[in-house]
Amino acid sequence: MENDVRSFIHAGNRQLAAKAYGPACVEYSRALDLQPGLAAAHYNIGAIFLMAGRPDDGIPALLTAAELQPGNAQFAIALARALLDSGDRQRAASLLDATHRRIPGDASLAEAARQLPTDPAASASYDGVRDQVDPADATDRLARALMDAEKGDTDAAFHTVKSLVWALPGSTELWCLLARLAPGRASGEYAELCARRAVALAPDNPAGWVWLARCLRGSGSRDEDAERALTTATRLCGHGPALSDARIELLLAANRFESAAAFLDQLKAETDGAEADILRLRARVHEAAGEFTEAARCFDEAIAIAPERAD
């Protein structure tokens, strides 16, 4: 199969027509590895989770689709359905009301808004899907959750961040933290879709790509997908320590020591001023391969170049 967006979308459509929903999601995800702002792929993935009775898992994808195409009534209605099915009736009603006012001529949207009217007593709490809260307070709570996660109190951090989704739905940091904390507390697919939302919000920010690659690596037999995502990330973000670390992490986890060394050779040829960082990565590769003398030599050379970073 050709490694391009159209081929992946067509493959996903074929799987969807055959009711092979899991493989369809994988193919649509592969399209997003290459084009993270593809609204239709986000929608298709979210809709599959909605049909499977897993609306909470599908919400990150449906929210992203609705934001990428704010004039698409179908996307808004699907997101409202997911919110309703997950027990968030008033937010669903607020979304439909706000979207209907923005697209007054759409009959399906008008009917959906009629069937799920807003409660005047509750409407002041929402701005579309967003919570009407002090963003500074929500940002402070997110910062405290991050500190909790760093201290190892990951359960508390996860629940705090989940509670902030609708206060800070556009926060890349929030979705990256959810992708990091979700494994073991939510489904692996939810973690991946949180990372994909982070990438869609800020495709030039390497953080979302790093967590996406980690989610893919942890989902079994998707190392090639993780490599594809990191290649797109490098195209959009440029070379940088975070993406280089993620690539080496991926290759070493698969015991692909020669590929890791070849990647560092390429990195050295394509970048300037990062010699110490590359030497540290080489030390990691040699150490993972059991070549401890070479690892020590590379680390010593890195310290000689940048002694202020002798950690």
Side-chain angles (χ1 to χ4, degrees):
M1 181 193 299
E2 295 179 55
N3 192 24
D4 62 55
V5 172
R6 182 173 294 182
S7 296
F8 289 137
I9 291 294
H10 286 171
N13 291 343
R14 288 194 297 272
Q15 298 284 12
L16 187 60
K19 298 184 179 180
Y21 299 124
C25 280
V26 170
E27 296 296 345
Y28 293 135
S29 294
R30 287 170 176 161
L32 291 173
D33 292 340
L34 297 172
Q35 190 175 326
L38 190 60
H42 286 286
Y43 169 76
N44 288 344
I45 293 168
I48 286 171
F49 280 99
L50 181 57
M51 289 189 297
R54 296 169 59 184
D56 196 54
D57 284 348
I59 281 174
L62 292 171
L63 175 61
T64 301
E67 288 181 345
L68 287 169
Q69 289 190 8
N72 190 312
Q74 180 183 3
F75 290 2
I77 291 170
L79 176 56
R81 180 79 252 178
L83 290 168
L84 183 62
D85 288 357
S86 63
D88 207 346
R89 181 183 181 87
Q90 292 304 323
R91 194 182 311 279
S94 176
L95 167 65
L96 291 173
D97 178 65
T99 310
H100 176 47
R101 284 187 278 109
R102 190 171 61 248
I103 320 171
D106 188 277
S108 61
L109 192 56
E111 178 59 19
R114 186 191 66 78
Q115 292 184 14
L116 192 65
T118 57
D119 179 352
S123 61
S125 299
Y126 304 100
D127 177 12
V129 294
R130 291 174 178 265
D131 288 336
Q132 288 276 35
V133 296
D134 179 1
D137 177 68
T139 301
D140 286 344
R141 290 179 60 201
L142 178 60
R144 289 196 296 272
L146 180 58
M147 287 190 289
D148 286 341
E150 295 300 330
K151 290 186 296 186
D153 194 357
T154 50
D155 285 335
F158 176 72
H159 291 300
T160 298
V161 178
K162 276 279 283 183
S163 73
L164 292 171
V165 161
W166 301 113
L168 299 168
S171 168
T172 302
E173 186 177 27
L174 179 144
W175 293 101
C176 285
L177 191 51
L178 275 177
R180 169 185 169 184
L181 297 174
R185 299 170 184 86
S187 71
E189 294 94 339
Y190 179 75
E192 178 185 337
L193 294 183
C194 287
R196 290 199 181 280
R197 174 155 174 78
V199 168
L201 285 168
D204 58 349
N205 183 340
W209 291 104
V210 169
W211 284 109
L212 175 58
R214 288 174 177 168
C215 290
L216 293 172
R217 193 189 79 195
S219 62
S221 303
R222 295 185 68 187
D223 281 5
E224 185 178 344
D225 296 342
E227 284 198 71
R228 183 186 305 107
L230 290 174
T231 297
T232 302
T234 300
R235 174 172 57 82
L236 296 175
C237 308
H239 289 292
L243 292 177
S244 298
D245 284 354
R247 179 84 69 160
I248 291 299
E249 183 180 282
L250 174 68
L251 295 172
L252 294 187
N255 295 323
R256 294 172 57 191
F257 308 123
E258 291 184 2
S259 296
F263 167 72
L264 292 175
D265 289 340
Q266 179 186 0
L267 185 64
K268 183 176 180 180
E270 294 179 357
T271 59
D272 294 320
E275 188 174 355
D277 291 331
I278 293 173
L279 282 167
R280 282 181 170 80
L281 291 175
R282 285 194 190 281
R284 283 177 58 189
V285 173
H286 286 305
E287 185 176 34
E291 300 165 349
F292 301 112
T293 300
E294 284 299 301
R297 180 187 63 78
C298 288
F299 187 66
D300 288 343
E301 288 182 17
I303 293 175
I305 294 170
E308 73 280 2
R309 296 178 56 199
D311 56 344

